[in-house]
Amino acid sequence: MINDLAAVGHGLALLRPDDVATLQQGTPVRHAAIAVIAAGTGLGEGFLVWDGTGYRPQASEGGHVSFAPRDEFECGLLLALREQFGHVSYERVASGPGLVSIYQYLVRSAYAPEQATVREEQERGDPAEVIVRHGSNDSDPVCVRALDAFVAVLGAQAGNLALTVCALGGVYLAGGIAPRIVTRLKAGPFLSAFGAKGRLSHLLARMPVRVIMEPRVGVLGAAAAALAQPASISSGPARSAARAALTAATQRR
C-alpha cells in the first residue's frame, strides 16, 4: 500500500514534457521542494524534498485544513457549508463534491435561475462532471460561476501549500479535475489566487506551476516505489506487473 499523493510524487520523474501543461513557467530552483495538490473526489496534498541523492515524497493531510474565505462570496459559502458540515475544510470546496456544493449554494442564493435541463443532467449522472462541462463551455451561468469559484479556491490553497513547503522546485496539479479544465486554469482566476499572498507574492511568481495530464502517473509512481523496495512485493506476478509498468513508462520517455 502507498499513499496516493506519494505515488504521484514517485511518478513525477517518469513524466515526459508533453505529459504536463504549464500554467506558469517560473524559475525552478534545483533540489528545492516540490508541491503536489490533487482535486478529485477529495483534495489530496503532498510534497517532495531532496534528501541528498534524490527526491523523497511525503504524504500530507493538508486538504483537511480549515477553509479560509477571501471575499464576501466565499464568506457566505463558508457559513452555508458550516451549517451542513460543522468544520469546513478546503476539501469541502476544492473537490468534485465541493464543486457541487458551490453550485448548490449559488442556486440557493438566487445568483441566476437554475436551468431545468442542467438539473436533470445532474440527477442522471455525475453532477460535478455536468458542472465542469457546462462551465467550460460557457453554456450555463451558474455552472460558469461555480467553476470559476472552484478554480479560485483551488488556486488559493495551491498557493498556501506552495508557501508552506517553499516549493521553489515547482507546483504540480494532479487529480481528475485539473486536466479537464486546463483552459479555465490558464484563463480563469487560478493564477491570480495562487499568487495573491501579499508581501510574498513575488515568491509565488517564481514557482513553476504545471498540470499533470498523464492519468497513470500514480500507478507508474507506485510501480517505481515498489521496485525500489523489492521486499514490498512478495509475489512473482506482482513484481512482474510492477516492472512491466515501469518499463513501459521508461520507454515512453
Side-chain angles (χ1 to χ4, degrees), residues 5 36-38 42-46 59-67 87-95 157 161:
L5 268 291
V36 183
I37 184 167
L43 181 66
E45 296 186 11
S60 163
E61 292 296 345
H64 294 280
V65 302
S66 300
F67 171 55
H87 175 251
V88 181
S89 66
Y90 269 96
E91 183 173 270
R92 294 293 190 188
V93 184
S95 64
Q157 180 58 1
L161 174 61

Side-chain angles (χ1 to χ4, degrees), residues 225-239:
L227 290 175
Q229 303 177 47
S232 67
I233 301 182
S234 58
S235 69
R239 187 188 302 275

Side-chain angles (χ1 to χ4, degrees), residues 7-249:
V8 171
H10 282 291
L12 291 183
L14 301 174
L15 296 177
R16 302 177 303 186
D18 59 354
D19 287 332
V20 299
T22 299
L23 303 182
Q24 177 171 285
Q25 194 66 40
T27 307
V29 175
R30 190 167 181 259
H31 298 165
I34 296 172
V36 183
I37 184 167
T41 54
L43 181 66
E45 296 186 11
F47 57 100
L48 294 83
V49 293
W50 184 261
D51 67 2
T53 59
Y55 273 104
R56 185 178 297 275
Q58 305 290 330
S60 163
E61 292 296 345
H64 294 280
V65 302
S66 300
F67 171 55
R70 300 167 304 119
D71 55 28
E72 291 185 5
F73 172 80
E74 291 182 3
C75 284
L77 177 62
L78 171 62
L79 292 175
L81 294 178
R82 192 167 65 185
E83 290 183 4
Q84 183 176 0
F85 299 110
H87 175 251
V88 181
S89 66
Y90 269 96
E91 183 173 270
R92 294 293 190 188
V93 184
S95 64
L99 177 58
V100 177
S101 292
I102 296 171
Y103 175 91
Q104 293 171 344
Y105 170 70
L106 287 165
V107 170
R108 292 194 302 270
S109 306
Y111 170 78
E114 182 180 29
Q115 292 189 33
T117 53
V118 174
R119 183 176 64 250
E120 291 168 2
E121 286 181 53
Q122 292 188 41
E123 291 171 351
R124 293 196 304 268
D126 178 1
E129 187 278 330
V130 173
I131 297 167
V132 166
R133 174 160 44 81
H134 282 285
S136 299
N137 295 336
D138 294 324
S139 54
D140 175 71
V142 183
C143 291
V144 170
R145 181 67 180 95
L147 187 57
D148 281 344
F150 167 87
V151 165
V153 172
L154 180 61
Q157 180 58 1
N160 291 339
L161 174 61
L163 279 182
T164 299
V165 304
C166 201
L168 290 170
V171 178
Y172 286 84
L173 277 65
I177 299 178
R180 296 158 57 191
I181 59 170
V182 169
T183 300
R184 211 75 182 186
L185 292 171
K186 290 181 178 179
F190 177 88
L191 286 176
S192 59
F194 175 82
K197 302 301 180 186
R199 290 170 293 173
L200 290 181
S201 295
H202 68 281
L203 189 64
L204 278 296
R206 294 169 52 191
M207 298 178 182
V209 182
R210 299 184 175 93
V211 178
I212 300 174
M213 305 299 292
E214 169 53 71
R216 301 176 300 167
V217 59
V219 175
L220 299 174
L227 290 175
Q229 303 177 47
S232 67
I233 301 182
S234 58
S235 69
R239 187 188 302 275
S240 297
R243 190 173 299 280
L246 187 57
T247 299

